[in-house]
Amino acid sequence: MKKLLQSLVLILLSIPLSLYAQRDTEHWFAPMAARTAVLSSPQQALYFSTDSTTPFPVEIYSNNNVIGTVTISKGNPQTFSVPLNNMITSATSDLFHPINKGLYTKGAKPYFVTFRFSVSSHGEILTSKGKAGIGTKFYAVVSPIEDIQVSSTNPLLNFTTGILATEDNTTVTVSDYAAEVVFTNGNTGLTTPTLTFTLNKGQSYIIEGISNKTGNKDGFIGAKIESNKPISVTNGNFNGQFAIDPAGGYWDGSDIVMDQSVPVDRLGNEFVVVKGNGNINEKMEDALIVATEDGTEVYINNATTPVYVLNEGEYYRVNKTNNNNYINQGNDHYNMYIKTSKNVYVYQLLAGVATSNATIGFNYIPPLNCYLPRKIDEIGMINILPPTTNNVKLNILTEAGAVVTVNNGTPPATQGPYPVLGTSSWVSYSVPNVTGNMTITSSKAVTAGISGGSGVVGYGGYFAGFSSIPVIAKQTGDCIPGIILEVDDSFESYQWYRNNNPIPGATSNSYVPTQSGNYVVKITVGTCPPVTTPVYKVFTCLTETTTNDTVCDGVKTIVPQFTNSTQSYVPGSVVIITPPANGNAVIDPTNGVISYAPNFGYFGPDSFVYKFCGNDPEFTDCEEVTLNLTVSESPIVTNAALRSCFIESNPATAVFNLTVASVTSQTGITKKYYPSPTDAHNGTNEIPDPVNYIAPNGVAYVKVTNAQGCYRIAEVTLTVLPPVKSTVLTDKVICMEDTTTLDAGPDFNGYQWSTGATTPSISNVGVGVYWVNLKTGDCITRQTVKVYPAEQPVITNLEISTTNLTVSAIGGTAPYQYSIDNIHWQDSNVFAEIPRGTGTVYVKDSYNCDPVTVDYTNPNIINVITPNGDGVNDILDYSSLAGKKNLVFNIFDRYGSKIYQGDKSNNYKWDGTIGTKKISTGSYWYEVGWNEPNKQLTPIKFTGWILVKNRD
């Protein structure tokens, strides 16, 4: 240290740096502890750069407050000066309890950021790993303090670890450090075997031990740091010394040895380390390996047997006893291959220049894998540490056979590629004297680092590659909606999955989730086997909504309901965040329903805020609702009644104009009409035409609503005025030739007959159909009346027996009267002693209308025939009746058996024979029938007996 203090006259004192960055949208920097003597002349700033050609702002936070903003774009990097107390403290009171130190930056697009700082005689660069640098399990790595002889008398050397929380309620446990460790607060690893503390977002916790305690030389290396939520870890030595005098002593030069760590899920087991600018013989160019699992075998270069086997938390310093592990591949290009059986941390111990043992540096080395990115774009102001510029050598690691460019140019053969002993898959390059902004591309996996210095200034580090497999990061946002997930854009194919199910069309390097769940991406590139990223859990943001409602008539019931989520709310999760000012809101614990009641007599605005959550046990959706209420009186309504005349086509119904029902006298209201009270309350099945509402007797319902949305339901009783008909006006029956009078009676307000008459009665009307409109009040009933013709009787049959005539009649209205001269009438239907020849029968019914008539013939009766051939009475001959319709006569013997039928075939004659045989002399019955040729074809039947005398 004495040598170091004497070098103050140089342009910039000994400043070994660690430069190792990751492009991302969010970056965290945990603070660190320093000794008071090294905090003079502080300078510190954040350096921002990006590959985005579109400018975008980046916000800088400390203690969750924005302390500044820069706007960056490709070719336009920016710096932001940081006050000392945001990141570095020498106050013991800031150690071992939660404090508000540390930095957090956030931008809309991915970017690089480094925290570059210097104090008198010391300097360092912390390069953020972005979201790859936060996690829940770490192992602390600090450099071993080899200059213990000096530190025992001058206790300015230390180890320090800063932890920064990225979320509220983060519980952190630090364990598995050596019992001999003595912390700055006096606690030891023996008395305090673990440190446990809780941090909120933006809070930090700093651990420190001073080198004048023997146990602090390396006792904190490999300490386990675990948390329940993601944290960022900065570890190392604010003032350290690991250089070893080749003669066996120790150098007194010291410097800041700090870097940002990564969680164990970002580690790997294959590494290439390219030597910096230091002197190998001083053993400043070295590598420190820290195991995370028992039984970790360590192989160097092409060795087939392990040089060491580590257990969890143990470390191995590669070149402490052997200077030959760096292999000169030509042109003083040295590299070293490290491979382990299990994932480990590898930190490079290096020097910025070859002329000073005080230019030590400390760099986490990214593990090799074919899923490293294909470009590093862009690193801004690569050779600047405030306030000077430096000479920088760029080291590139890439897969064998790759095409490499640096700022769009191909490196010459003298700069690489150089082989790596132990693997044929990787090569290295060295490009001297790089300055300004740098972009490195490769057709295969690539990472790049620098080794730089000027005078006694030295620093170095690597860019990109902080995970053995790709991991999902947030491009922007924290939850749905707004969160955008991404992986590096240099791979060949992508397939996103949610809850192990492929998402159709999600085949780019970024994805915007619309549902909470477990997300992974399956990625391929080149000949690498497909890999799937670790799960990224996406949650739905707290949904904040504002709704407006009205309270009418007292209590308002509010049932929590999600705006978008399909989850069911949990009753026990419902809470009132902000109570109402003008009322009371109470939650029913059994169902989560909120009941709001305004203060008595209060009308006006009120509001309260409530919150509820869903029933998914892992991805629980929550919503916070600001409910703005208007407390209002409901309209005053009265029930009404409407009467309307019947519809003639459907007398049980009428047309009602509901709009004229007087249900309220208030103004500023709206009325809607419904067929039922349920419809009225629910606003369903509204009556589309209330002016012409057709309904039977019943009730219609009016929803009367004021401007505040309060309503009441009024009933309108509907009465159908039925048709009123005359009780005296009835159908009549008259003779067709007569007329009559139709009388509706005196009990109506008006009359309108189909004849045009307007009197209660009309006269001299004949047979027909008539109507009259009868007015009762405002209703008119049309009554139809018919005047029927009396039904005429029908003479169905005439029977003539010798001189008697019997008339049979039906129809009409009995009793009948009969006549054969239309002058003399009798009640009997039998006439005696009718003369031979033709005549007419008359019949009329009780209506005494014109009689119906049937003509008849009473033929000359032959009672004896003597069929002996003498020409006298030989035959029974009715051929004179042949003109009668359906004429037929039959002969019956005394037993009633028909023995002969006279018809057209035998010319209605009979000669007393059956066939050719004469019948026996005797009396026989005969029957003659026909139909008179009138409209009714009245049947005539004539009967009698005949004596047949046959002579042999």
Side-chain angles (χ1 to χ4, degrees):
M1 178 60 72
K2 187 182 295 182
K3 178 180 178 181
L4 183 65
L5 295 175
Q6 291 173 349
S7 64
L8 293 174
V9 295
L10 299 177
I11 297 175
L12 183 64
L13 301 179
S14 175
I15 308 176
L17 308 172
S18 176
L19 187 59
Y20 186 19
Q22 172 77 14
R23 189 174 66 99
D24 214 330
T25 58
E26 297 180 359
H27 299 267
W28 292 262
F29 293 93
M32 62 199 79
R35 297 295 86 222
T36 304
V38 296
L39 288 181
S40 61
S41 303
Q43 296 187 61
Q44 52 187 343
L46 293 172
Y47 283 66
F48 298 91
S49 61
T50 182
D51 63 343
S52 172
T53 57
T54 302
F56 63 92
V58 178
E59 295 177 325
I60 301 102
Y61 293 80
S62 182
N63 189 25
N64 300 318
N65 297 314
V66 177
I67 62 173
T69 302
V70 296
T71 298
I72 60 175
S73 60
K74 184 174 176 63
N76 184 36
Q78 297 293 319
T79 62
F80 177 80
S81 296
V82 178
L84 178 67
N85 60 3
N86 288 117
M87 282 293 293
I88 303 171
T89 182
S90 60
T92 303
S93 59
D94 285 335
L95 308 180
F96 297 100
H97 68 88
I99 58 175
N100 294 320
K101 294 186 181 297
L103 297 173
Y104 164 66
T105 70
K106 182 178 181 180
K109 298 176 179 293
Y111 58 95
F112 292 101
V113 60
T114 59
F115 174 63
R116 310 183 189 188
F117 61 101
S118 66
V119 296
S120 179
S121 305
H122 304 286
E124 182 62 288
I125 296 180
L126 289 184
T127 56
S128 171
K129 279 70 173 175
K131 290 182 281 288
I134 64 172
T136 58
K137 186 176 182 180
F138 298 76
Y139 287 84
V141 183
V142 301
S143 73
I145 303 173
E146 301 291 354
D147 191 13
I148 194 67
Q149 294 175 344
V150 174
S151 64
S152 63
T153 59
N154 189 357
L156 294 182
L157 304 184
N158 75 342
F159 70 83
T160 180
T161 296
I163 299 166
L164 176 66
T166 66
E167 297 182 24
D168 289 343
N169 299 316
T170 300
T171 301
V172 183
T173 299
V174 183
S175 63
D176 293 349
Y177 43 84
E180 294 78 15
V181 167
V182 180
F183 295 115
T184 304
N185 64 355
N187 289 333
T188 69
L190 181 63
T191 60
T192 310
T194 62
L195 300 173
T196 301
F197 46 90
T198 299
L199 303 174
N200 286 327
K201 181 179 180 180
Q203 287 188 318
S204 57
Y205 188 96
I206 301 176
I207 300 168
E208 187 196 34
I210 302 174
S211 63
N212 61 356
K213 305 297 180 180
T214 302
N216 292 351
K217 173 184 176 181
D218 60 2
F220 199 69
I221 298 176
K224 187 187 301 184
I225 304 171
E226 296 177 293
S227 62
N228 65 328
K229 296 180 180 180
I231 57 174
S232 177
V233 174
T234 298
N235 51 201
N237 316 77
F238 198 86
N239 202 16
Q241 171 60 286
F242 55 73
I244 301 176
D245 189 333
Y250 298 93
W251 297 103
D252 59 355
S254 63
D255 220 316
I256 300 175
V257 183
M258 298 290 292
D259 199 3
Q260 187 179 83
S261 186
V262 296
V264 294
D265 57 7
R266 308 283 180 162
L267 301 179
N269 69 336
E270 187 178 13
F271 309 84
V272 173
V273 183
V274 179
K275 187 185 80 67
N277 296 319
N279 188 332
I280 289 181
N281 292 328
E282 294 179 353
K283 298 185 180 178
M284 296 173 66
E285 297 287 350
D286 205 347
L288 191 68
I289 303 172
V290 177
T292 62
E293 297 182 57
D294 291 344
T296 301
E297 299 174 347
V298 179
Y299 299 85
I300 306 298
N301 294 322
N302 60 346
T304 57
T305 59
V307 298
Y308 208 86
V309 178
L310 298 173
N311 287 327
E312 180 187 7
E314 293 181 344
Y315 78 95
Y316 175 70
R317 183 170 175 175
V318 176
N319 285 331
K320 184 172 184 179
T321 60
N322 186 351
N323 294 332
N324 300 322
N325 288 317
Y326 274 111
I327 306 300
N328 188 349
Q329 304 291 354
N331 298 319
D332 288 329
H333 181 94
Y334 289 83
N335 59 33
M336 176 172 54
Y337 179 64
I338 298 173
K339 186 173 179 62
T340 58
S341 60
K342 299 177 183 179
N343 290 353
V344 297
Y345 288 90
V346 173
Y347 279 75
Q348 184 181 20
L349 308 175
L350 61 91
V353 298
T355 58
S356 173
N357 66 355
T359 60
I360 56 180
F362 192 53
N363 305 310
Y364 170 78
I365 302 299
L368 301 174
N369 69 90
C370 61
Y371 281 97
L372 287 172
R374 269 53 181 169
K375 66 179 178 179
I376 302 171
D377 185 18
E378 97 182 328
I379 306 303
M381 297 177 278
I382 198 168
N383 61 324
I384 296 178
L385 177 76
T388 66
T389 61
N390 300 273
N391 295 322
V392 173
K393 178 182 69 173
L394 176 68
N395 298 322
I396 300 172
L397 299 175
T398 187
E399 291 181 279
V403 177
V404 174
T405 65
V406 178
N407 281 356
N408 297 320
T410 302
T414 56
Q415 297 176 2
Y418 292 100
V420 177
L421 184 63
T423 177
S424 61
S425 300
W426 296 87
V427 296
S428 59
Y429 291 75
S430 289
V431 182
N433 302 319
V434 294
T435 61
N437 305 328
M438 302 298 302
T439 295
I440 301 98
T441 67
S442 174
S443 60
K444 298 185 178 182
V446 68
T447 184
I450 58 172
S451 177
S454 176
V456 294
V457 177
Y459 59 93
Y462 280 84
F463 302 93
F466 303 107
S467 175
S468 59
I469 61 172
V471 292
I472 298 173
K474 294 183 298 184
Q475 184 185 99
T476 187
D478 295 309
C479 48
I480 299 170
I483 188 171
I484 301 176
L485 304 181
E486 68 172 358
V487 291
D488 196 278
D489 62 357
S490 59
F491 305 118
E492 293 178 359
S493 72
Y494 308 84
Q495 178 59 63
W496 291 81
Y497 291 77
R498 175 182 175 270
N499 296 339
N500 297 321
N501 296 313
I503 303 172
T507 56
S508 66
N509 73 301
S510 64
Y511 180 70
V512 182
T514 57
Q515 296 176 281
S516 59
N518 294 308
Y519 285 83
V520 298
V521 190
K522 182 178 285 187
I523 299 169
T524 63
V525 64
T527 59
C528 300
V531 296
T532 300
T533 65
V535 170
Y536 193 103
K537 293 185 178 295
V538 175
F539 297 89
T540 301
C541 301
L542 172 66
T543 301
E544 296 180 301
T545 56
T546 300
T547 59
N548 302 312
D549 210 340
T550 302
V551 181
C552 309
D553 298 322
V555 176
K556 177 75 175 181
T557 299
I558 300 101
V559 179
Q561 185 174 7
F562 281 106
T563 303
N564 297 312
S565 174
T566 58
Q567 297 178 19
S568 299
Y569 78 92
V570 176
S573 71
V574 183
V575 294
I576 303 296
I577 304 298
T578 304
N582 298 294
N584 188 34
V586 178
I587 301 171
D588 186 335
T590 60
N591 56 23
V593 174
I594 303 171
S595 297
Y596 167 84
N599 294 335
F600 179 76
Y602 175 76
F603 300 102
D606 201 359
S607 68
F608 66 94
V609 180
Y610 65 94
K611 177 183 174 183
F612 58 92
C613 295
N615 60 342
D616 189 297
E618 183 175 13
F619 298 99
T620 306
D621 293 340
C622 295
E623 187 161 344
E624 185 176 286
V625 180
T626 299
L627 179 58
N628 296 321
L629 298 171
T630 299
V631 182
S632 172
E633 289 183 289
S634 294
I636 299 172
V637 300
T638 56
N639 294 335
L642 293 177
R643 295 158 57 90
S644 184
C645 300
F646 69 94
I647 298 174
E648 188 171 352
S649 60
N650 186 4
T653 63
V655 177
F656 296 92
N657 184 354
L658 301 179
T659 63
V660 301
S662 180
V663 295
T664 183
S665 60
Q666 291 181 309
T667 59
I669 54 89
T670 59
K671 293 184 286 184
K672 293 186 177 182
Y673 304 86
Y674 300 90
S676 73
T678 300
D679 286 326
H681 284 290
N682 296 336
T684 55
N685 299 317
E686 181 182 356
I687 295 172
D689 186 6
V691 175
N692 299 288
Y693 180 53
I694 298 174
N697 288 331
V699 179
Y701 299 86
V702 188
K703 188 175 188 176
V704 182
T705 307
N706 62 18
Q708 290 73 41
C710 294
Y711 69 88
R712 282 200 172 99
I713 308 298
E715 296 181 359
V716 179
T717 301
L718 306 177
T719 301
V720 177
L721 297 176
V724 179
K725 294 186 176 183
S726 169
T727 58
V728 299
L729 181 62
T730 59
D731 292 344
K732 289 188 174 184
V733 178
I734 65 173
C735 296
M736 179 63 74
E737 64 275 14
D738 291 344
T739 60
T740 188
T741 296
L742 298 177
D743 189 356
D747 300 327
F748 298 94
N749 303 120
Y751 306 85
Q752 179 66 52
W753 291 89
S754 56
T755 63
T758 58
T759 55
S761 64
I762 56 176
S763 302
N764 298 318
V765 294
V767 171
V769 178
Y770 303 87
W771 54 259
V772 60
N773 288 336
L774 302 172
K775 186 175 183 182
T776 304
D778 292 329
C779 298
I780 294 175
T781 302
R782 172 167 289 190
Q783 185 170 344
T784 299
V785 61
K786 295 179 181 180
V787 179
Y788 295 98
E791 182 182 0
Q792 292 284 68
V794 176
I795 300 172
T796 61
N797 189 38
L798 295 179
E799 291 189 11
I800 302 173
S801 178
T802 311
T803 60
N804 291 335
L805 172 63
T806 301
V807 182
S808 296
I810 60 173
T813 303
Y816 304 117
Q817 286 189 315
Y818 306 91
S819 175
I820 58 175
D821 59 7
N822 200 24
I823 297 173
H824 302 90
W825 295 86
Q826 62 183 39
D827 295 330
S828 173
N829 65 332
V830 178
F831 295 90
E833 300 300 332
I834 63 173
R836 302 292 180 181
T838 61
T840 301
V841 174
Y842 302 86
V843 179
K844 59 182 179 180
D845 65 3
S846 61
Y847 280 99
N848 198 29
C849 298
D850 291 344
V852 295
T853 63
V854 171
D855 293 331
Y856 68 90
T857 299
N858 187 8
N860 188 27
I861 301 303
I862 299 174
N863 295 106
V864 179
I865 63 173
T866 56
N868 54 9
D870 61 1
V872 179
N873 294 332
D874 284 338
I875 61 173
L876 182 63
D877 183 3
Y878 286 107
S879 59
S880 61
L881 298 175
K884 300 295 187 180
K885 186 79 170 175
N886 300 324
L887 175 64
V888 67
F889 73 87
N890 298 308
I891 306 298
F892 304 90
D893 64 14
R894 59 180 177 174
Y895 302 107
S897 297
K898 187 169 74 170
I899 61 174
Y900 183 80
Q901 177 175 304
D903 53 30
K904 188 175 182 180
S905 66
N906 50 36
N907 199 25
Y908 308 102
K909 296 178 181 181
W910 182 48
D911 60 359
T913 63
I914 300 176
T916 59
K917 185 180 180 180
K918 294 181 179 181
I919 64 172
S920 301
T921 297
S923 295
Y924 296 87
W925 290 96
Y926 64 90
E927 176 184 85
V928 182
W930 65 87
N931 293 92
E932 284 295 331
N934 55 19
K935 184 168 66 174
Q936 291 82 16
L937 294 177
T938 305
I940 306 295
K941 187 164 66 172
F942 177 75
T943 60
W945 60 269
I946 187 171
L947 176 64
V948 180
K949 295 181 178 181
N950 277 318
R951 298 177 181 176
D952 297 331

